[in-house]
Amino acid sequence: MSARRPKLLVVDDGDRYVGLLHALLRDYDYATRCDLPGPCWECPQRAGCTLTHAHDAAETETALARHPDVDVVLLDVAFELPDERLLPARVVPERHRRRLQGVEILAQLRRRRGDLPVVLMTSEEELAFEGPAEALAVDELITLAGADAFDARALGLLVERILARTRSLPETGGYAFGQSAAMARVRRDAVVLAPTSLPILVLGETGTGKSALAERVIHPATGRDGPFVAVDLAALPEALIAAELFGTARGAFSGAVERRGRFEEAHGGTLFLDEVGNLPLETQRMLLLALWDGRVTRLGESAPRSVDVKVVAATNADLEAKVRDGSFRADLYARLNPAARLVLPPLRERLADLPELMRGLVKKKLAAGPDRALLADYFEAADLRGALHAELAIGRPDEGAHGVRFVLSRQSYADLRAHDWPGNVRELELLLANAVVFALADALGAAREGRAAGDADTIPIPAKLVRELLGAVRRGEASGASASAGGFDVRPRAQLRDVARDLERQLFLRLYRATKGDFDAMAERLLDGTDPSGARKVRLRFNQLGLRVREIDGE
């Protein structure tokens, strides 16, 4: 049986692009709004047919509903359509509504199908859309000069590049990517870069999951048989970092013994350098040489040793700023492959992933060790049958769930969504671990006393417990903050602009809640005069700050 051919959906107000593709790229299936069997170029009713592709946002939704197996969307940028067929301008300025309608459709696709690959197509060298398009994690941008074979070839190669990323993605070792477009892109790029000889640079705030990505996703995807070796450079004294990485000869310095460094330990596998921004300049030079020629020299020796290592470096620091101030070598930064870096977004910008993350973290917490033993004790005390298993439900237990179901109330879930998560996934994991273990311990005590009420396989997580845990976290954040301004949390960042963005985001979120989502009222508080477009400007900035109405309202 032949493999399924990739399926493309073309979204364009005209028929130039679909005509080009049907004429020159016939190795794909195309998502249409028609019930007749394809391909379109062989259909006797082809002349004058308008069902070959989608012409606007509404027809895009229709086509995707008919073809949920679409692999790639090819989306035009400019649309010359009546106003009633255009999406309102939420991402781009109103004056660019037609010229950049494709970006608005992209935003709608990201809300519906965050993981669906999208290529934006334009016939002009248009730079205005690149910023908002990149913010929406568009997969590719292409300029098509004319309807000819060269354009078809270029577009076909882009499609193949995207298909190569998404084809046969490996298991991710329990790493929860969620459904956000940014994380879908991280996953695809990680899998593409992992088997290559290039180093990988992973950026993101503390707690976003950089080390877990390296160990559970990148290392398995390399196909290497060697070990995964991790080094936290922030935890090592500067004087010992070089010895830790490259090894020592006996007598290299006082007390030195002959030992392998982490590069040699990782031979044939992956070396993860966490907080690479902490490297001293001299050690940076040694690391650069190791990356260039695949050899390391132990301290106190002169003969280099060959090593075959996949290097993954991570940091929450702004390496570009460090290059500018001279504390990080420009040539090392270039060698770490910043053009293909993986950027993990903070948790506050991927709140739609909270349910999946929480469910995965609960399973992880009770998968092994003393907490699993506690779960086993509860199964025995409550006389539960079946496999030792735990799940998290929000609002009410899921139908068909098995094992013990921890139930988080919708109000508690709303409280968690409203939290800013400066510690990101790591902070979420710690809070959930406490909530689940406390709730399980209480349920175990009641079961042992014979006072368990209701279904023993359902354990509610008390809302008061969640509030107390959040309160403790916030008090810890407040005591650790370096400054406070008007009730806003001021957290140190690598750049002043990041601090300003943080404060602006807190302000917009606070105003949104105070006005119950009324953007006109927000505009009155933020803008002088009576600008009729004030609400639209506020809404645009609201979105640019990573805030989403649906996420905040819990829809």
Side-chain angles (χ1 to χ4, degrees), residues 91-147:
V91 178
V92 301
E94 178 65 33
R95 66 182 182 279
H96 296 322
R97 184 181 176 198
R98 279 190 172 79
R99 190 159 59 95
L100 304 181
Q101 176 67 187
V103 178
E104 297 293 351
I105 296 176
L106 173 62
Q108 179 169 288
L109 285 172
R110 287 294 175 242
R111 289 192 291 272
R112 306 283 198 274
R113 292 275 303 274
D115 60 339
L116 185 60
V118 177
V119 176
L120 271 179
M121 307 179 296
T122 178
S123 59
E124 301 177 3
E125 289 288 352
E126 175 64 76
L127 300 178
F129 70 87
E130 291 192 11
E134 289 289 1
L136 292 165
V138 66
D139 291 81
E140 296 287 353
L141 302 165
I142 184 170
T143 301
L144 303 175

Side-chain angles (χ1 to χ4, degrees), residues 452-497:
D455 296 329
D457 59 359
T458 299
I459 301 178
I461 299 177
K464 185 173 185 293
L465 173 61
V466 174
R467 290 196 301 271
E468 288 174 349
L469 291 171
L470 279 172
V473 169
R474 292 185 181 115
R475 287 191 295 275
E477 292 167 9
S479 63
S482 63
S484 178
F488 293 99
D489 291 332
V490 183
R491 302 186 186 91
R493 301 292 188 192
Q495 294 281 329
L496 287 175
R497 63 174 179 268

